[in-house]
Amino acid sequence: MFHIRLGDGNWPDCDAIPLWNEEILPVCSPVYQAKSKPLSLASDILCHRLIHYVDPYRFRIGWADWLRATGVGAPPTLPTSLQVNDSLVAMKAAENGEGIALGWRPLIDRPLRENRLVIALDRTLKTGRRFYAVTPSAPNRRKVALIFRDWLANRFEGL
């Protein structure tokens, strides 16, 4: 068994190898950016259609958290164009021009390189949490899972 988990790396009866830091920034499609009001301040986000990723099973940073972290007080009601419960669906909606979504590095790096997404505002939130490759600490772990875990850890070393 093998998992990628976000947290502090402390899970009972598990070995956790750090992969990458949680870094979150607003992204949108190049078309959306070209036809929208320019963003220069974090508060300008409030004038745009926002794609909200809400995970029903675990805490994830949302727009209100991102705004507070950038020094902007979140209003009681945020603009919404779409609310989804999957981060990949949020990224696809942003790619399709539905609005601005929060994107997690390194998951957004390829769409950024391929110009399917652009950074809407260069304000990265570094939460201090990390993503980990997690395996049970039991002695009968599958060798293939450990090989993959180690390969993944080497691939993301330094992020």
Side-chain angles (χ1 to χ4, degrees):
M1 185 173 14
F2 173 85
H3 300 277
I4 295 179
R5 295 186 70 179
L6 175 63
D8 62 6
N10 296 313
W11 292 282
D13 302 319
C14 291
D15 293 330
I17 295 177
L19 296 175
W20 61 84
N21 294 319
E22 183 179 39
E23 295 183 4
I24 306 164
L25 63 159
V27 295
C28 63
S29 73
V31 171
Y32 180 87
Q33 186 180 51
K35 69 178 184 180
S36 299
K37 287 175 63 175
L39 292 163
S40 56
L41 302 170
S43 59
D44 294 341
I45 289 280
L46 298 172
C47 299
H48 287 266
R49 295 185 320 215
L50 302 181
I51 300 166
H52 296 262
Y53 161 47
V54 179
D55 189 322
Y57 301 107
R58 57 190 84 64
F59 171 76
R60 291 291 186 255
I61 298 292
W63 280 110
D65 306 300
W66 183 87
L67 286 163
R68 278 191 292 276
T70 59
V72 177
T77 306
L78 290 168
T80 301
S81 71
L82 186 62
Q83 181 172 314
V84 298
N85 64 1
D86 185 287
S87 62
L88 297 177
V89 172
M91 291 304 95
K92 283 299 181 189
E95 284 182 30
N96 290 330
E98 295 296 326
I100 302 173
L102 290 173
W104 276 255
R105 283 222 136 112
L107 303 176
I108 58 170
D109 288 345
R110 175 180 265 172
L112 288 170
R113 275 193 316 273
E114 295 173 352
N115 204 35
R116 292 179 293 152
L117 289 174
V118 294
I119 296 171
L121 183 67
D122 196 9
R123 298 289 300 267
T124 301
L125 170 58
K126 297 180 180 187
T127 66
R129 299 187 309 170
R130 291 185 64 96
F131 286 89
Y132 292 84
V134 180
T135 54
S137 49
N140 59 347
R141 296 180 288 188
R142 295 184 63 199
K143 185 174 181 170
V144 68
L146 299 178
I147 291 169
F148 180 69
R149 178 202 65 190
D150 294 343
W151 172 84
L152 197 59
N154 287 330
R155 166 72 175 84
F156 291 104
E157 187 173 20
L159 291 182

